[in-house]
Amino acid sequence: MSQQGSAGNVIAAIASFFFAGLGQLVQGRILAAILFCLTTYAAYGIASFTLGIFLIIAIPLHIWCIIDAARYRA
């Protein structure tokens, strides 16, 4: 998983698509995985109570998580 676009990064990006932070965890970046997971799902949780207003924050956070997993270089 040392190069951008490697099979490991693609797997990590797919994992992050289904569960925010899982791709970073697959790559061994525990702190990044925890931060992405907590912030993304906190924003999704707040969005469920505020009629979706926080989706403006949650969706870009989730996309950032996926892109971060895909572009990671060891």
Side-chain angles (χ1 to χ4, degrees):
M1 281 194 270
S2 62
Q3 289 186 8
Q4 178 180 342
S6 69
N9 284 0
V10 172
I11 291 169
I14 292 170
S16 283
F17 176 79
F18 289 109
F19 189 86
L22 185 59
Q24 285 77 9
L25 191 61
V26 167
Q27 292 170 332
R29 303 177 337 171
I30 296 171
L31 183 61
I34 291 169
L35 290 175
F36 272 120
C37 182
L38 289 178
T39 56
T40 303
Y41 288 113
Y44 278 129
I46 294 169
S48 68
F49 291 112
T50 61
L51 301 174
I53 294 171
F54 268 77
L55 284 177
I56 295 169
I57 297 170
I59 292 173
L61 272 173
H62 202 152
I63 292 171
W64 179 27
C65 178
I66 296 166
I67 292 170
D68 180 67
R71 298 191 68 192
Y72 175 69
R73 289 186 182 177

